[in-house]
Each structure stands twice: as C-alpha cells, then as structure tokens.
Amino acid sequence: MYNGFTFNGKNSTDLGIFIDSSYTVATAVPNVSTATIPGRAGTVLLNDSKPSSILQTIPFYVNKPPVEQTEAITQITNWLRQSVNVYHNFKLANDPGFTYLVAMTGELSFKREASDLSGELNALFYPYKFYDEGLKEINVTNGQTLNNPGTVTALPRIALSGSGTVTLGTFKMTGIGNGAVLDSERQSCTNLAHTEPLFNRMSGDFLTLPPGNTKITWDNSDFTVKIIPRWGVMI
C-alpha cells in the first residue's frame, strides 16, 4: 500500500511522491556504551538514558510520466535537501495524530526502469514522535492540571506574559520586563521576541512534564502562562 507524507509543511503527493508503507521500521534503542573494568567479570553497561536518533530507509515511487521525470527529480531533491542541518516536521498518512522530527541527512537515490521512477530516501528520525495535540499552545490557568498521555518526559515551551518576578514550578524569573519564553528542550530563556537572552533573570530548573498529571501553579497573578507541552512516545 502506498501513502503520502508531509515534510516541512509540503505534501509529497503534490510532487507525485508516494512511499511504500510496508518498509521495515527501525525503532529507537537506548544509548548504551560498554566498558571493561580490570578485576571485574563481564562488561559494564553505561546508559545515559537518552535514545539516539534513527536512520530510516524509506522506499518511494514517483507518479510522473517519463517526460516529466527529470524535472520531478530536480524538484524532489531541492525540496528534501533544504536545511539538512535541522529537524523538520514530518507526518505519515498512515500514522495520523502524530508528528515526527526528521532531517534528510542521508542518501537520496532514484531509479529509472522503463516508464517507472522509484527511489529511496534515508532520513534521520528524532527518537520520539509527538502527539499533534501536544504541539498546540495551551492557555493555562493557575492550578490547572496537565495530563501527559505519552510514555516519555515532555520538555515544554513556556511563554510567560507579565512584568516583575514570578516562580513557576522549579524555576524563578526575576525582574523581567513584559515576559519571557522558556524552552526546556532547547534549554533556552529569552524575551518574548526571542531577541534577548534572559538567563541572568532565571534561577532553578527548566520545567518538565512526566507521563501522567502535573499541576501547574505560579505565584504572581499579574502573569499569564501559555505552554506547548510536546507530549510524545518513543519510536
């Protein structure tokens, strides 16, 4: 069975690309290294608890007549090779409700056979896929409980709007102007316009959302809070 996919906001079917949904899916594995210690039997396993990204090989075919195939190869290559040094949103038609993060860092090959055009793309998948609902911004009320339906601890993006000092969960912002953005995944803290770092105004740990319920509270009613929770599961 063949399906389309969306990469960086563009649907593959717009270029006539369809992927074979029967391809072998690699899953994330723990990032484990080994060490041999003199005087100790066996091999010691060292686990940093964070899985590595996964290189997936995905076969595809291009639904274009022979006279259009050369131009199709150029368009497909230009599309998939843009900004290869960052992850982009990636959605599979046969996995609704989830968004992957994918970097097209691997080989992209094409095969012409009679009137058929097919190929393989090798894409680097971030080890987690994210619930679409968890990528939407939530206007949080003070004392509200957020439920993480995923299986991994989420690293949210938090936008604080207000002036002064506020403590939310395990972190505190002191003497800020009109707000701040704290990104637990990127470990960044900036003003709302993302033009000025505010690490000197921050103390404590970035907020995380473990699986299950987390109550969100803050101690200054002059502030409003918006959260993109980024709930996800391991691939």
Side-chain angles (χ1 to χ4, degrees):
M1 181 178 179
Y2 289 90
N3 296 283
F5 65 91
T6 301
F7 175 70
N8 197 20
K10 186 177 183 65
N11 197 304
S12 68
T13 58
D14 294 341
L15 296 175
I17 311 171
F18 297 84
I19 60 175
D20 187 345
S21 59
S22 64
Y23 69 90
T24 300
V25 178
T27 58
V29 295
N31 191 7
V32 177
S33 59
T34 61
T36 301
I37 299 178
R40 180 170 175 176
T43 299
V44 177
L45 303 179
L46 306 174
N47 184 1
D48 71 0
S49 77
K50 300 297 183 182
S52 300
S53 294
I54 316 137
L55 186 63
Q56 301 271 16
T57 299
I58 303 175
F60 64 86
Y61 87 95
V62 183
N63 184 21
K64 294 286 186 179
V67 293
E68 297 180 18
Q69 289 178 1
T70 299
E71 178 61 23
I73 290 173
T74 300
Q75 292 178 349
I76 293 166
T77 301
N78 289 340
W79 170 44
L80 295 180
R81 287 304 190 204
Q82 58 185 312
S83 304
V84 296
N85 60 328
V86 296
Y87 288 100
H88 294 286
N89 287 350
F90 181 92
K91 293 183 65 65
L92 290 165
N94 63 342
D95 193 13
F98 285 98
T99 295
Y100 296 77
L101 293 179
V102 170
M104 296 293 180
T105 57
E107 182 180 358
L108 174 63
S109 60
F110 295 89
K111 180 180 180 181
R112 277 178 163 165
E113 198 170 33
S115 61
D116 296 326
L117 178 61
S118 61
E120 287 184 343
L121 60 89
N122 292 274
L124 192 66
F125 279 66
Y126 193 75
Y128 307 140
K129 62 180 181 179
F130 300 91
Y131 288 95
D132 289 344
E133 287 300 312
L135 297 177
K136 298 177 181 178
E137 192 169 64
I138 301 171
N139 291 303
V140 182
T141 58
N142 203 344
Q144 181 176 347
T145 296
L146 299 182
N147 178 263
N148 178 357
T151 58
V152 297
T153 297
L155 303 176
R157 177 190 182 275
I158 303 168
L160 296 168
S161 295
S163 300
T165 297
V166 62
T167 299
L168 190 157
T170 56
F171 66 81
K172 181 178 182 179
M173 299 297 300
T174 304
I176 57 177
N178 64 346
V181 175
L182 300 106
D183 195 315
S184 300
E185 181 180 32
R186 297 180 180 179
Q187 296 285 287
S188 65
C189 177
T190 68
N191 62 352
L192 294 178
H194 304 290
T195 57
E196 179 187 355
L198 296 179
F199 282 111
N200 62 332
R201 304 287 184 179
M202 173 186 169
S203 61
D205 300 321
F206 283 95
L207 181 70
T208 61
L209 301 173
N213 292 330
T214 299
K215 188 175 182 179
I216 308 298
T217 60
W218 58 97
D219 63 355
N220 187 337
S221 60
D222 291 335
F223 281 81
T224 60
V225 176
K226 296 180 180 180
I227 295 179
I228 301 176
R230 296 179 177 138
W231 297 315
V233 298
M234 188 180 294
I235 296 177

